[in-house]
Structure formats: C-alpha cells, structure tokens
Amino acid sequence: MTPEQKRNNRRMGLTLASIALLFFVGFIVRMVWIGR
C-alpha cells in the first residue's frame, strides 16, 4: 500500500466518521426536541 493510498484511506475514514457523528448529533437533538 502506497503512502498515497494510506492518505486517501485516512481521509475517507475521517469523512465517514464525521458523517456518522453528524447523524448521531442530529438524532440526539431530535430526541431532545421531541422530548419537551
């Protein structure tokens, strides 16, 4: 695996992690909003 591929994999991982985090935060906010 070349350094270029490693860099691309890390970027892909960070992108997926940030998307998952956004979904998680959005879910919590919605639960709090509905819970009032």
Side-chain angles (χ1 to χ4, degrees), residues 3 5-16:
Q5 286 174 316
K6 284 183 182 175
R7 197 159 58 239
N8 287 341
N9 284 352
R10 191 180 306 136
R11 186 179 297 138
M12 178 71 81
L14 285 172
T15 302
L16 290 174

Side-chain angles (χ1 to χ4, degrees), residues 10-26:
R10 191 180 306 136
R11 186 179 297 138
M12 178 71 81
L14 285 172
T15 302
L16 290 174
S18 59
I19 290 171
L21 188 65
L22 281 174
F23 269 103
F24 186 63
V25 170

